[in-house]
Amino acid sequence: MANKEKACAELGFYSEKHALPEETTEAELLSLIERLNNDDKIHGILVQLPLPKHLDDKTIINNILPSKDVDAFHPTNVGRIMIGDFDFVPCTPAGIMELIHESGVEVSGKECVVIGRSNIVGKPMAMLLLHEHGTVTVCHSRTKDLKAQTRRADILVAAVGIPKFVTGDMVKDGAVVIDVGMDRDENGKLCGDVDFDSVEPVAGAITPVPGGVGPMTIAMLMKNTLTAARRAHEKKQG
Ligand code: NAP
């Protein structure tokens, strides 16, 4: 949260942090969201997940105005991503696409393999690669012979949550490897889902952890918020 506040301050965005006690009721949280939904000064609302057990993520997210849902978790925004008509993309996949574009990597026609099918990373990632004409395979914990799938990948995205899960023998020569993981190794040190030391010699390009996808996520949150502010302004202008 501190990084997000810092990014807002650096960009000159007005921001409010509401650090609520754990025992906050659903009614109290929904009332705050309603107030922010109706506040013209606020263009983006982000609820830090996971919520305490007595609060239902879905109910809370569904009550954020889709036009202020800068995390793009509301079903309306998820649906818009499916059909390729969207303002916001979940920040982590959006950051990955930005990295791909900035690196001059062409997605069209490439074999893209995404390991992980979560709603916040794997699924939207797969959709974005598909929109850019990649041939996309999504792998998960029930995938048989994962290595056979990953070794076909020109672009491999690892969003598994297991430290150093992807090893050099799972990667095709020259592949672009994107590591979404934010894990802890046996010494408690931050590491990714990719075993950098064994994969880096094989890969054509690879994102490090820390310093790769992570910082892009916050940048994309800021971008989504700016987009939301622009849309609100356009709406006001008619
Ligand atoms: P998640 O919801 O736990 O999803 C993990 C996915 O990995 C699931 O789809 C799971 O399959 C799959 N998986 C687990 N074990 C597997 C195996 N042995 N073989 C193949 N697939 C397997 O995690 P997430 O929220 O997507 O996050 C993934 C990682 O990204 C985590 O390390 C997280 O900390 C990190 N992350 C980083 C950022 C960032 O800003 N850099 C943002 C979000 C997340 P099933 O669906 O079959 O269970």
Side-chain angles (χ1 to χ4, degrees):
M1 206 60 204
N3 288 339
K4 291 166 191 157
E5 280 183 286
K6 196 169 150 233
C8 285
E10 276 171 11
L11 293 172
F13 285 15
Y14 168 78
S15 78
E16 284 180 14
K17 175 176 155 188
H18 298 269
L20 305 177
E22 194 172 341
E23 54 280 9
T24 300
T25 64
E26 182 177 289
E28 285 166 336
L29 183 51
L30 290 178
S31 146
L32 172 61
I33 289 175
E34 195 187 344
R35 180 169 80 61
L36 297 171
N37 278 342
N38 293 317
D39 184 343
D40 284 348
K41 203 160 74 244
I42 300 292
H43 298 111
I45 302 171
L46 177 149
V47 176
Q48 191 72 44
L49 301 176
L51 290 168
K53 280 202 176 63
H54 66 282
L55 296 171
D56 177 37
D57 293 9
K58 235 197 271 176
T59 306
I60 302 303
I61 300 294
N62 289 0
N63 277 278
I64 297 174
L65 211 56
S67 58
K68 295 192 179 189
D69 167 44
V70 286
D71 256 340
F73 293 164
H74 188 286
T76 296
N77 289 323
V78 174
R80 290 186 63 186
I81 292 162
M82 278 293 286
I83 59 172
D85 168 28
F86 47 81
D87 282 328
F88 312 132
V89 182
C91 301
T92 301
I96 292 169
M97 292 314 292
E98 199 81 15
L99 283 173
I100 287 176
H101 295 149
E102 283 296 312
S103 311
V105 173
E106 181 64 47
V107 175
S108 182
K110 296 280 170 62
E111 289 288 341
C112 305
V113 175
V114 180
I115 320 175
R117 56 173 164 177
S118 70
N119 289 333
I120 62 166
V121 187
K123 284 182 198 159
M125 186 72 245
M127 288 313 304
L128 295 185
L129 291 165
L130 190 58
H131 288 320
E132 295 210 6
H133 315 295
T135 302
V136 182
T137 305
V138 182
C139 301
H140 45 78
S141 66
R142 313 279 177 96
T143 297
K144 292 200 171 91
D145 198 356
L146 181 67
K147 188 167 153 181
Q149 301 294 337
T150 59
R151 281 192 64 83
R152 290 189 301 104
D154 301 310
I155 299 173
L156 178 62
V157 181
V160 196
I162 302 175
K164 303 181 187 180
F165 179 77
V166 175
T167 47
D169 58 324
M170 295 168 75
V171 175
K172 181 163 101 173
D173 258 354
V176 172
V177 179
I178 293 161
D179 189 352
V180 185
M182 297 244 276
D183 312 314
R184 296 276 161 192
D185 70 9
E186 56 283 4
N187 304 312
K189 205 172 138 222
L190 182 64
C191 74
D193 289 345
V194 174
D195 177 30
F196 192 90
D197 291 343
S198 69
V199 173
E200 194 265 343
V202 185
I206 180 168
T207 63
V209 177
V213 172
M216 294 303 294
T217 297
I218 293 180
M220 293 302 107
L221 178 64
M222 299 298 125
K223 187 176 175 187
N224 281 348
T225 307
L226 184 62
T227 301
R230 285 205 172 118
R231 293 280 177 273
H233 182 70
E234 285 161 12
K235 210 171 151 194
K236 241 188 209 165
Q237 304 283 301

